[in-house]
Amino acid sequence: MVKLGSVLGVLLLAATIIYVEWKNSEENKVRWITGGITAISAVIGILLLFDPSLPGPGAVVKLLFGGVDKALK
């Protein structure tokens, strides 16, 4: 029951962020990018609720851009 409340909280927060950004943004491209990033973040958050041993968003970013960081040094 606690996980259901947490999932609903994450979905409500994500929907609120998407709604406010959609309403206040003038460019259609910015609306879709903001909505997509927020939706992906909500999915990652919900997945982490059910399996906390999964790597978090920081590990995913490090995996994607770790090589770029090493190349720039």
Short mmCIF file of all heavy atoms in Angstrom, two decimals:
data_model
loop_
_atom_site.label_atom_id
_atom_site.label_comp_id
_atom_site.label_asym_id
_atom_site.label_seq_id
_atom_site.Cartn_x
_atom_site.Cartn_y
_atom_site.Cartn_z
N MET A 1 0.81 -1.19 0.00
CA MET A 1 0.00 0.00 0.00
C MET A 1 0.86 1.26 0.00
O MET A 1 0.49 2.26 -0.60
CB MET A 1 -0.93 -0.02 1.22
CG MET A 1 -2.06 0.94 1.09
SD MET A 1 -2.99 0.68 -0.41
CE MET A 1 -4.61 0.71 0.16
N VAL A 2 2.01 1.20 0.68
CA VAL A 2 2.90 2.35 0.73
C VAL A 2 3.47 2.63 -0.66
O VAL A 2 3.60 3.78 -1.07
CB VAL A 2 4.04 2.12 1.75
CG1 VAL A 2 5.05 3.24 1.69
CG2 VAL A 2 3.47 1.99 3.15
N LYS A 3 3.81 1.55 -1.40
CA LYS A 3 4.37 1.75 -2.73
C LYS A 3 3.34 2.37 -3.67
O LYS A 3 3.70 3.17 -4.53
CB LYS A 3 4.88 0.43 -3.30
CG LYS A 3 6.16 -0.02 -2.64
CD LYS A 3 6.73 -1.22 -3.33
CE LYS A 3 8.00 -1.64 -2.61
NZ LYS A 3 8.64 -2.77 -3.23
N LEU A 4 2.08 2.01 -3.51
CA LEU A 4 1.04 2.59 -4.35
C LEU A 4 0.94 4.09 -4.12
O LEU A 4 0.85 4.87 -5.06
CB LEU A 4 -0.32 1.92 -4.08
CG LEU A 4 -1.50 2.48 -4.86
CD1 LEU A 4 -1.30 2.24 -6.36
CD2 LEU A 4 -2.79 1.86 -4.39
N GLY A 5 1.02 4.51 -2.87
CA GLY A 5 1.00 5.93 -2.56
C GLY A 5 2.21 6.65 -3.12
O GLY A 5 2.11 7.77 -3.62
N SER A 6 3.37 5.99 -3.04
CA SER A 6 4.58 6.59 -3.58
C SER A 6 4.51 6.72 -5.09
O SER A 6 4.93 7.74 -5.66
CB SER A 6 5.80 5.75 -3.18
OG SER A 6 5.96 5.72 -1.79
N VAL A 7 3.99 5.69 -5.76
CA VAL A 7 3.85 5.74 -7.21
C VAL A 7 2.89 6.86 -7.60
O VAL A 7 3.16 7.64 -8.53
CB VAL A 7 3.37 4.38 -7.77
CG1 VAL A 7 2.96 4.50 -9.23
CG2 VAL A 7 4.45 3.33 -7.61
N LEU A 8 1.78 6.97 -6.91
CA LEU A 8 0.82 8.03 -7.21
C LEU A 8 1.43 9.41 -6.95
O LEU A 8 1.18 10.35 -7.71
CB LEU A 8 -0.45 7.84 -6.38
CG LEU A 8 -1.33 6.67 -6.78
CD1 LEU A 8 -2.50 6.53 -5.81
CD2 LEU A 8 -1.82 6.80 -8.20
N GLY A 9 2.25 9.52 -5.91
CA GLY A 9 2.92 10.79 -5.62
C GLY A 9 3.89 11.17 -6.72
O GLY A 9 3.93 12.34 -7.14
N VAL A 10 4.68 10.21 -7.20
CA VAL A 10 5.63 10.49 -8.29
C VAL A 10 4.87 10.89 -9.55
O VAL A 10 5.25 11.85 -10.24
CB VAL A 10 6.53 9.26 -8.54
CG1 VAL A 10 7.31 9.40 -9.83
CG2 VAL A 10 7.48 9.02 -7.38
N LEU A 11 3.80 10.17 -9.86
CA LEU A 11 3.02 10.49 -11.06
C LEU A 11 2.34 11.86 -10.94
O LEU A 11 2.31 12.62 -11.91
CB LEU A 11 1.97 9.40 -11.31
CG LEU A 11 2.51 8.05 -11.77
CD1 LEU A 11 1.38 7.04 -11.86
CD2 LEU A 11 3.23 8.19 -13.10
N LEU A 12 1.84 12.19 -9.77
CA LEU A 12 1.21 13.49 -9.56
C LEU A 12 2.23 14.61 -9.69
O LEU A 12 1.96 15.64 -10.32
CB LEU A 12 0.52 13.54 -8.19
CG LEU A 12 -0.19 14.84 -7.85
CD1 LEU A 12 -1.37 15.05 -8.80
CD2 LEU A 12 -0.68 14.81 -6.42
N LEU A 13 3.41 14.42 -9.10
CA LEU A 13 4.45 15.43 -9.21
C LEU A 13 4.92 15.61 -10.65
O LEU A 13 5.06 16.74 -11.13
CB LEU A 13 5.64 15.04 -8.32
CG LEU A 13 6.79 16.01 -8.24
CD1 LEU A 13 6.33 17.33 -7.65
CD2 LEU A 13 7.90 15.42 -7.41
N ALA A 14 5.11 14.51 -11.36
CA ALA A 14 5.53 14.59 -12.77
C ALA A 14 4.46 15.26 -13.62
O ALA A 14 4.78 16.10 -14.48
CB ALA A 14 5.84 13.19 -13.30
N ALA A 15 3.21 14.92 -13.39
CA ALA A 15 2.12 15.53 -14.16
C ALA A 15 2.03 17.03 -13.88
O ALA A 15 1.79 17.82 -14.80
CB ALA A 15 0.79 14.85 -13.83
N THR A 16 2.26 17.42 -12.65
CA THR A 16 2.22 18.84 -12.30
C THR A 16 3.36 19.60 -12.99
O THR A 16 3.15 20.69 -13.53
CB THR A 16 2.32 19.02 -10.77
OG1 THR A 16 1.25 18.31 -10.16
CG2 THR A 16 2.24 20.48 -10.39
N ILE A 17 4.55 19.02 -12.97
CA ILE A 17 5.70 19.65 -13.63
C ILE A 17 5.44 19.79 -15.13
O ILE A 17 5.67 20.86 -15.72
CB ILE A 17 6.99 18.85 -13.36
CG1 ILE A 17 7.38 18.97 -11.90
CG2 ILE A 17 8.12 19.32 -14.27
CD1 ILE A 17 8.49 18.02 -11.49
N ILE A 18 4.96 18.73 -15.75
CA ILE A 18 4.69 18.77 -17.18
C ILE A 18 3.61 19.81 -17.50
O ILE A 18 3.74 20.59 -18.45
CB ILE A 18 4.30 17.38 -17.72
CG1 ILE A 18 5.51 16.45 -17.67
CG2 ILE A 18 3.74 17.46 -19.12
CD1 ILE A 18 5.19 15.00 -17.98
N TYR A 19 2.56 19.84 -16.71
CA TYR A 19 1.47 20.80 -16.95
C TYR A 19 1.96 22.24 -16.84
O TYR A 19 1.67 23.08 -17.70
CB TYR A 19 0.33 20.56 -15.96
CG TYR A 19 -0.76 21.59 -16.05
CD1 TYR A 19 -1.65 21.61 -17.12
CD2 TYR A 19 -0.89 22.58 -15.08
CE1 TYR A 19 -2.64 22.56 -17.22
CE2 TYR A 19 -1.87 23.55 -15.17
CZ TYR A 19 -2.75 23.53 -16.24
OH TYR A 19 -3.73 24.49 -16.34
N VAL A 20 2.70 22.56 -15.79
CA VAL A 20 3.16 23.93 -15.59
C VAL A 20 4.15 24.34 -16.67
O VAL A 20 4.07 25.44 -17.22
CB VAL A 20 3.79 24.09 -14.18
CG1 VAL A 20 4.49 25.43 -14.04
CG2 VAL A 20 2.73 23.93 -13.11
N GLU A 21 5.07 23.45 -17.02
CA GLU A 21 6.03 23.77 -18.07
C GLU A 21 5.34 23.91 -19.42
O GLU A 21 5.71 24.74 -20.23
CB GLU A 21 7.13 22.72 -18.13
CG GLU A 21 8.10 22.78 -16.97
CD GLU A 21 8.89 24.07 -16.93
OE1 GLU A 21 9.19 24.64 -17.99
OE2 GLU A 21 9.20 24.51 -15.81
N TRP A 22 4.36 23.07 -19.69
CA TRP A 22 3.63 23.12 -20.96
C TRP A 22 2.87 24.44 -21.08
O TRP A 22 2.83 25.06 -22.13
CB TRP A 22 2.68 21.94 -21.04
CG TRP A 22 2.17 21.68 -22.43
CD1 TRP A 22 1.15 22.30 -23.06
CD2 TRP A 22 2.69 20.73 -23.36
NE1 TRP A 22 0.97 21.79 -24.32
CE2 TRP A 22 1.90 20.82 -24.53
CE3 TRP A 22 3.71 19.79 -23.31
CZ2 TRP A 22 2.13 20.02 -25.64
CZ3 TRP A 22 3.94 19.01 -24.41
CH2 TRP A 22 3.16 19.12 -25.56
N LYS A 23 2.28 24.86 -19.97
CA LYS A 23 1.48 26.07 -19.97
C LYS A 23 2.34 27.33 -20.10
O LYS A 23 1.95 28.28 -20.76
CB LYS A 23 0.66 26.13 -18.67
CG LYS A 23 -0.35 27.23 -18.61
CD LYS A 23 -1.16 27.12 -17.34
CE LYS A 23 -2.17 28.24 -17.27
NZ LYS A 23 -2.93 28.23 -16.05
N ASN A 24 3.52 27.32 -19.49
CA ASN A 24 4.35 28.53 -19.45
C ASN A 24 5.36 28.62 -20.59
O ASN A 24 5.95 29.67 -20.78
CB ASN A 24 5.10 28.62 -18.11
CG ASN A 24 4.14 28.86 -16.96
OD1 ASN A 24 3.09 29.43 -17.13
ND2 ASN A 24 4.52 28.39 -15.79
N SER A 25 5.57 27.54 -21.31
CA SER A 25 6.55 27.57 -22.39
C SER A 25 5.87 27.98 -23.70
O SER A 25 4.75 27.58 -23.99
CB SER A 25 7.18 26.19 -22.56
OG SER A 25 8.11 26.20 -23.60
N GLU A 26 6.59 28.77 -24.47
CA GLU A 26 6.02 29.24 -25.74
C GLU A 26 6.41 28.37 -26.91
O GLU A 26 5.67 28.24 -27.87
CB GLU A 26 6.47 30.68 -25.99
CG GLU A 26 5.90 31.66 -24.98
CD GLU A 26 6.38 33.07 -25.21
OE1 GLU A 26 7.06 33.31 -26.22
OE2 GLU A 26 6.06 33.93 -24.37
N GLU A 27 7.59 27.75 -26.85
CA GLU A 27 8.07 26.94 -27.96
C GLU A 27 7.61 25.49 -27.81
O GLU A 27 7.73 24.90 -26.73
CB GLU A 27 9.59 26.99 -28.04
CG GLU A 27 10.13 28.35 -28.42
CD GLU A 27 11.61 28.33 -28.62
OE1 GLU A 27 12.12 27.31 -29.13
OE2 GLU A 27 12.27 29.31 -28.27
N ASN A 28 7.12 24.94 -28.90
CA ASN A 28 6.61 23.57 -28.88
C ASN A 28 7.73 22.56 -28.62
O ASN A 28 7.53 21.57 -27.94
CB ASN A 28 5.90 23.26 -30.20
CG ASN A 28 4.98 22.10 -30.10
OD1 ASN A 28 4.52 21.77 -29.01
ND2 ASN A 28 4.71 21.46 -31.21
N LYS A 29 8.91 22.84 -29.17
CA LYS A 29 10.04 21.92 -29.00
C LYS A 29 10.45 21.82 -27.53
O LYS A 29 10.73 20.73 -27.03
CB LYS A 29 11.21 22.42 -29.85
CG LYS A 29 12.38 21.49 -29.92
CD LYS A 29 13.43 22.04 -30.88
CE LYS A 29 14.58 21.08 -31.04
NZ LYS A 29 15.60 21.60 -31.96
N VAL A 30 10.46 22.95 -26.85
CA VAL A 30 10.83 22.97 -25.43
C VAL A 30 9.79 22.21 -24.61
O VAL A 30 10.14 21.49 -23.66
CB VAL A 30 10.97 24.43 -24.94
CG1 VAL A 30 11.19 24.49 -23.44
CG2 VAL A 30 12.08 25.13 -25.67
N ARG A 31 8.54 22.33 -24.98
CA ARG A 31 7.47 21.60 -24.28
C ARG A 31 7.71 20.09 -24.36
O ARG A 31 7.61 19.38 -23.36
CB ARG A 31 6.12 21.93 -24.88
CG ARG A 31 5.64 23.31 -24.62
CD ARG A 31 4.33 23.56 -25.34
NE ARG A 31 3.81 24.88 -25.02
CZ ARG A 31 2.73 25.37 -25.56
NH1 ARG A 31 2.06 24.69 -26.46
NH2 ARG A 31 2.32 26.57 -25.21
N TRP A 32 7.99 19.60 -25.56
CA TRP A 32 8.17 18.16 -25.74
C TRP A 32 9.44 17.65 -25.06
O TRP A 32 9.44 16.55 -24.50
CB TRP A 32 8.17 17.80 -27.22
CG TRP A 32 6.80 17.85 -27.79
CD1 TRP A 32 6.27 18.82 -28.57
CD2 TRP A 32 5.74 16.90 -27.56
NE1 TRP A 32 4.95 18.53 -28.86
CE2 TRP A 32 4.61 17.36 -28.26
CE3 TRP A 32 5.66 15.72 -26.85
CZ2 TRP A 32 3.40 16.67 -28.26
CZ3 TRP A 32 4.46 15.03 -26.85
CH2 TRP A 32 3.35 15.51 -27.54
N ILE A 33 10.50 18.42 -25.10
CA ILE A 33 11.74 18.01 -24.44
C ILE A 33 11.55 17.95 -22.93
O ILE A 33 11.94 16.98 -22.28
CB ILE A 33 12.89 18.96 -24.82
CG1 ILE A 33 13.25 18.76 -26.29
CG2 ILE A 33 14.10 18.74 -23.93
CD1 ILE A 33 14.23 19.78 -26.82
N THR A 34 10.93 18.98 -22.36
CA THR A 34 10.68 19.00 -20.92
C THR A 34 9.76 17.85 -20.51
O THR A 34 10.02 17.17 -19.51
CB THR A 34 10.05 20.34 -20.51
OG1 THR A 34 10.90 21.40 -20.92
CG2 THR A 34 9.85 20.41 -19.01
N GLY A 35 8.71 17.64 -21.27
CA GLY A 35 7.80 16.54 -20.95
C GLY A 35 8.47 15.18 -21.06
O GLY A 35 8.25 14.30 -20.22
N GLY A 36 9.31 15.00 -22.07
CA GLY A 36 10.00 13.73 -22.24
C GLY A 36 10.98 13.44 -21.13
O GLY A 36 11.03 12.33 -20.58
N ILE A 37 11.78 14.44 -20.76
CA ILE A 37 12.75 14.25 -19.67
C ILE A 37 12.04 13.99 -18.35
O ILE A 37 12.44 13.13 -17.57
CB ILE A 37 13.68 15.48 -19.58
CG1 ILE A 37 14.60 15.51 -20.80
CG2 ILE A 37 14.49 15.45 -18.30
CD1 ILE A 37 15.44 16.76 -20.91
N THR A 38 10.96 14.71 -18.11
CA THR A 38 10.20 14.51 -16.87
C THR A 38 9.56 13.12 -16.84
O THR A 38 9.56 12.44 -15.81
CB THR A 38 9.13 15.60 -16.71
OG1 THR A 38 9.76 16.88 -16.78
CG2 THR A 38 8.40 15.46 -15.39
N ALA A 39 9.02 12.67 -17.96
CA ALA A 39 8.40 11.34 -18.02
C ALA A 39 9.44 10.24 -17.81
O ALA A 39 9.19 9.28 -17.07
CB ALA A 39 7.69 11.15 -19.36
N ILE A 40 10.60 10.39 -18.43
CA ILE A 40 11.66 9.39 -18.25
C ILE A 40 12.12 9.37 -16.79
O ILE A 40 12.34 8.30 -16.21
CB ILE A 40 12.83 9.67 -19.21
CG1 ILE A 40 12.40 9.38 -20.64
CG2 ILE A 40 14.06 8.86 -18.84
CD1 ILE A 40 13.37 9.85 -21.69
N SER A 41 12.25 10.54 -16.18
CA SER A 41 12.65 10.62 -14.78
C SER A 41 11.61 9.96 -13.87
O SER A 41 11.95 9.29 -12.89
CB SER A 41 12.85 12.07 -14.36
OG SER A 41 13.85 12.66 -15.13
N ALA A 42 10.33 10.15 -14.18
CA ALA A 42 9.28 9.53 -13.38
C ALA A 42 9.33 8.01 -13.50
O ALA A 42 9.17 7.30 -12.50
CB ALA A 42 7.91 10.05 -13.83
N VAL A 43 9.57 7.50 -14.69
CA VAL A 43 9.67 6.05 -14.88
C VAL A 43 10.86 5.50 -14.10
O VAL A 43 10.76 4.47 -13.42
CB VAL A 43 9.78 5.70 -16.38
CG1 VAL A 43 10.17 4.25 -16.58
CG2 VAL A 43 8.48 6.01 -17.08
N ILE A 44 12.00 6.18 -14.16
CA ILE A 44 13.17 5.74 -13.40
C ILE A 44 12.88 5.77 -11.90
O ILE A 44 13.24 4.84 -11.16
CB ILE A 44 14.40 6.61 -13.74
CG1 ILE A 44 14.87 6.34 -15.16
CG2 ILE A 44 15.54 6.36 -12.75
CD1 ILE A 44 15.94 7.28 -15.66
N GLY A 45 12.20 6.81 -11.44
CA GLY A 45 11.85 6.90 -10.02
C GLY A 45 10.93 5.77 -9.59
O GLY A 45 11.10 5.19 -8.51
N ILE A 46 9.96 5.43 -10.41
CA ILE A 46 9.04 4.34 -10.08
C ILE A 46 9.76 3.00 -10.08
O ILE A 46 9.54 2.16 -9.21
CB ILE A 46 7.83 4.35 -11.03
CG1 ILE A 46 6.97 5.59 -10.76
CG2 ILE A 46 6.99 3.09 -10.88
CD1 ILE A 46 5.90 5.84 -11.79
N LEU A 47 10.64 2.79 -11.06
CA LEU A 47 11.42 1.56 -11.09
C LEU A 47 12.29 1.42 -9.85
O LEU A 47 12.44 0.33 -9.29
CB LEU A 47 12.29 1.49 -12.34
CG LEU A 47 11.56 1.23 -13.65
CD1 LEU A 47 12.54 1.34 -14.83
CD2 LEU A 47 10.91 -0.14 -13.64
N LEU A 48 12.87 2.52 -9.40
CA LEU A 48 13.71 2.48 -8.20
C LEU A 48 12.89 2.22 -6.93
O LEU A 48 13.42 1.70 -5.96
CB LEU A 48 14.49 3.78 -8.05
CG LEU A 48 15.66 3.95 -9.02
CD1 LEU A 48 16.25 5.35 -8.92
CD2 LEU A 48 16.73 2.91 -8.75
N LEU A 49 11.61 2.54 -6.95
CA LEU A 49 10.75 2.22 -5.81
C LEU A 49 10.59 0.71 -5.66
O LEU A 49 10.56 0.18 -4.55
CB LEU A 49 9.36 2.84 -5.98
CG LEU A 49 9.24 4.33 -5.70
CD1 LEU A 49 7.85 4.81 -6.10
CD2 LEU A 49 9.48 4.60 -4.23
N PHE A 50 10.48 0.01 -6.78
CA PHE A 50 10.25 -1.42 -6.74
C PHE A 50 11.53 -2.24 -6.64
O PHE A 50 11.51 -3.36 -6.14
CB PHE A 50 9.43 -1.86 -7.95
CG PHE A 50 8.00 -1.40 -7.88
CD1 PHE A 50 7.57 -0.33 -8.64
CD2 PHE A 50 7.11 -2.01 -7.02
CE1 PHE A 50 6.27 0.11 -8.56
CE2 PHE A 50 5.80 -1.58 -6.93
CZ PHE A 50 5.37 -0.52 -7.70
N ASP A 51 12.65 -1.72 -7.15
CA ASP A 51 13.93 -2.44 -7.06
C ASP A 51 15.03 -1.43 -6.74
O ASP A 51 15.68 -0.91 -7.65
CB ASP A 51 14.22 -3.16 -8.38
CG ASP A 51 15.40 -4.11 -8.27
OD1 ASP A 51 15.93 -4.29 -7.14
OD2 ASP A 51 15.79 -4.68 -9.30
N PRO A 52 15.25 -1.17 -5.45
CA PRO A 52 16.23 -0.15 -5.07
C PRO A 52 17.67 -0.50 -5.43
O PRO A 52 18.53 0.37 -5.39
CB PRO A 52 16.08 -0.06 -3.55
CG PRO A 52 14.83 -0.75 -3.21
CD PRO A 52 14.52 -1.69 -4.31
N SER A 53 17.94 -1.73 -5.78
CA SER A 53 19.31 -2.11 -6.12
C SER A 53 19.70 -1.72 -7.55
O SER A 53 20.86 -1.85 -7.92
CB SER A 53 19.50 -3.62 -5.94
OG SER A 53 18.70 -4.33 -6.86
N LEU A 54 18.75 -1.23 -8.34
CA LEU A 54 19.06 -0.77 -9.69
C LEU A 54 19.94 0.48 -9.61
O LEU A 54 19.84 1.25 -8.67
CB LEU A 54 17.77 -0.42 -10.44
CG LEU A 54 16.88 -1.58 -10.86
CD1 LEU A 54 15.58 -1.04 -11.44
CD2 LEU A 54 17.58 -2.44 -11.88
N PRO A 55 20.79 0.68 -10.62
CA PRO A 55 21.59 1.91 -10.60
C PRO A 55 20.70 3.13 -10.80
O PRO A 55 19.73 3.09 -11.55
CB PRO A 55 22.55 1.73 -11.78
CG PRO A 55 21.93 0.71 -12.65
CD PRO A 55 21.10 -0.17 -11.76
N GLY A 56 21.04 4.20 -10.12
CA GLY A 56 20.25 5.43 -10.19
C GLY A 56 20.58 6.25 -11.42
O GLY A 56 21.42 5.88 -12.24
N PRO A 57 19.94 7.39 -11.54
CA PRO A 57 20.17 8.26 -12.70
C PRO A 57 21.62 8.72 -12.82
O PRO A 57 22.13 8.90 -13.92
CB PRO A 57 19.24 9.44 -12.47
CG PRO A 57 18.24 8.96 -11.48
CD PRO A 57 18.89 7.89 -10.68
N GLY A 58 22.29 8.92 -11.70
CA GLY A 58 23.69 9.34 -11.75
C GLY A 58 24.58 8.30 -12.40
O GLY A 58 25.49 8.64 -13.17
N ALA A 59 24.32 7.03 -12.12
CA ALA A 59 25.10 5.95 -12.73
C ALA A 59 24.83 5.86 -14.23
O ALA A 59 25.74 5.57 -15.01
CB ALA A 59 24.78 4.63 -12.05
N VAL A 60 23.61 6.11 -14.63
CA VAL A 60 23.27 6.06 -16.05
C VAL A 60 23.97 7.20 -16.80
O VAL A 60 24.53 6.99 -17.88
CB VAL A 60 21.74 6.14 -16.25
CG1 VAL A 60 21.38 6.25 -17.71
CG2 VAL A 60 21.07 4.93 -15.63
N VAL A 61 23.97 8.39 -16.22
CA VAL A 61 24.65 9.53 -16.84
C VAL A 61 26.15 9.27 -16.92
O VAL A 61 26.80 9.56 -17.93
CB VAL A 61 24.35 10.83 -16.07
CG1 VAL A 61 25.24 11.97 -16.55
CG2 VAL A 61 22.88 11.20 -16.21
N LYS A 62 26.71 8.70 -15.86
CA LYS A 62 28.14 8.38 -15.87
C LYS A 62 28.44 7.33 -16.93
O LYS A 62 29.47 7.42 -17.62
CB LYS A 62 28.57 7.88 -14.50
CG LYS A 62 30.05 7.68 -14.38
CD LYS A 62 30.44 7.30 -12.97
CE LYS A 62 31.95 7.13 -12.87
NZ LYS A 62 32.36 6.75 -11.53
N LEU A 63 27.58 6.37 -17.11
CA LEU A 63 27.77 5.36 -18.14
C LEU A 63 27.72 5.99 -19.54
O LEU A 63 28.53 5.67 -20.40
CB LEU A 63 26.70 4.27 -18.02
CG LEU A 63 26.71 3.18 -19.09
CD1 LEU A 63 27.94 2.30 -18.91
CD2 LEU A 63 25.45 2.35 -19.01
N LEU A 64 26.76 6.89 -19.75
CA LEU A 64 26.61 7.51 -21.06
C LEU A 64 27.72 8.50 -21.39
O LEU A 64 28.21 8.56 -22.51
CB LEU A 64 25.26 8.23 -21.16
CG LEU A 64 24.02 7.34 -21.16
CD1 LEU A 64 22.77 8.21 -21.11
CD2 LEU A 64 24.00 6.45 -22.39
N PHE A 65 28.12 9.30 -20.41
CA PHE A 65 29.06 10.39 -20.68
C PHE A 65 30.41 10.21 -19.99
O PHE A 65 31.23 11.13 -20.00
CB PHE A 65 28.44 11.72 -20.25
CG PHE A 65 27.18 12.05 -20.97
CD1 PHE A 65 25.96 12.01 -20.34
CD2 PHE A 65 27.22 12.38 -22.32
CE1 PHE A 65 24.78 12.31 -21.01
CE2 PHE A 65 26.06 12.69 -23.01
CZ PHE A 65 24.84 12.64 -22.37
N GLY A 66 30.68 9.07 -19.40
CA GLY A 66 31.95 8.83 -18.73
C GLY A 66 33.12 8.89 -19.69
O GLY A 66 34.19 9.41 -19.37
N GLY A 67 32.95 8.35 -20.90
CA GLY A 67 34.01 8.40 -21.89
C GLY A 67 34.32 9.81 -22.35
O GLY A 67 35.48 10.16 -22.59
N VAL A 68 33.29 10.63 -22.43
CA VAL A 68 33.48 12.03 -22.83
C VAL A 68 34.29 12.75 -21.75
O VAL A 68 35.18 13.55 -22.05
CB VAL A 68 32.13 12.71 -23.07
CG1 VAL A 68 32.30 14.20 -23.33
CG2 VAL A 68 31.38 12.05 -24.19
N ASP A 69 33.99 12.46 -20.49
CA ASP A 69 34.71 13.09 -19.39
C ASP A 69 36.19 12.73 -19.42
O ASP A 69 37.04 13.57 -19.23
CB ASP A 69 34.06 12.67 -18.06
CG ASP A 69 34.70 13.38 -16.88
OD1 ASP A 69 34.97 14.59 -17.01
OD2 ASP A 69 34.90 12.73 -15.85
N LYS A 70 36.48 11.47 -19.67
CA LYS A 70 37.88 11.02 -19.74
C LYS A 70 38.58 11.63 -20.94
O LYS A 70 39.77 11.96 -20.87
CB LYS A 70 37.95 9.50 -19.80
CG LYS A 70 37.55 8.83 -18.52
CD LYS A 70 37.59 7.33 -18.64
CE LYS A 70 37.08 6.68 -17.37
NZ LYS A 70 37.03 5.22 -17.49
N ALA A 71 37.89 11.78 -22.06
CA ALA A 71 38.49 12.35 -23.25
C ALA A 71 38.80 13.83 -23.08
O ALA A 71 39.77 14.33 -23.66
CB ALA A 71 37.56 12.15 -24.45
N LEU A 72 38.02 14.53 -22.28
CA LEU A 72 38.22 15.95 -22.09
C LEU A 72 39.37 16.25 -21.12
O LEU A 72 39.89 17.37 -21.11
CB LEU A 72 36.95 16.63 -21.61
CG LEU A 72 35.82 16.69 -22.63
CD1 LEU A 72 34.56 17.28 -21.98
CD2 LEU A 72 36.21 17.51 -23.84
N LYS A 73 39.74 15.29 -20.30
CA LYS A 73 40.83 15.52 -19.31
C LYS A 73 42.16 15.42 -19.90
O LYS A 73 42.76 15.20 -20.71
CB LYS A 73 40.71 14.53 -18.16
CG LYS A 73 39.57 14.87 -17.25
CD LYS A 73 39.55 13.97 -16.06
CE LYS A 73 38.38 14.33 -15.18
NZ LYS A 73 38.31 13.50 -14.02
#
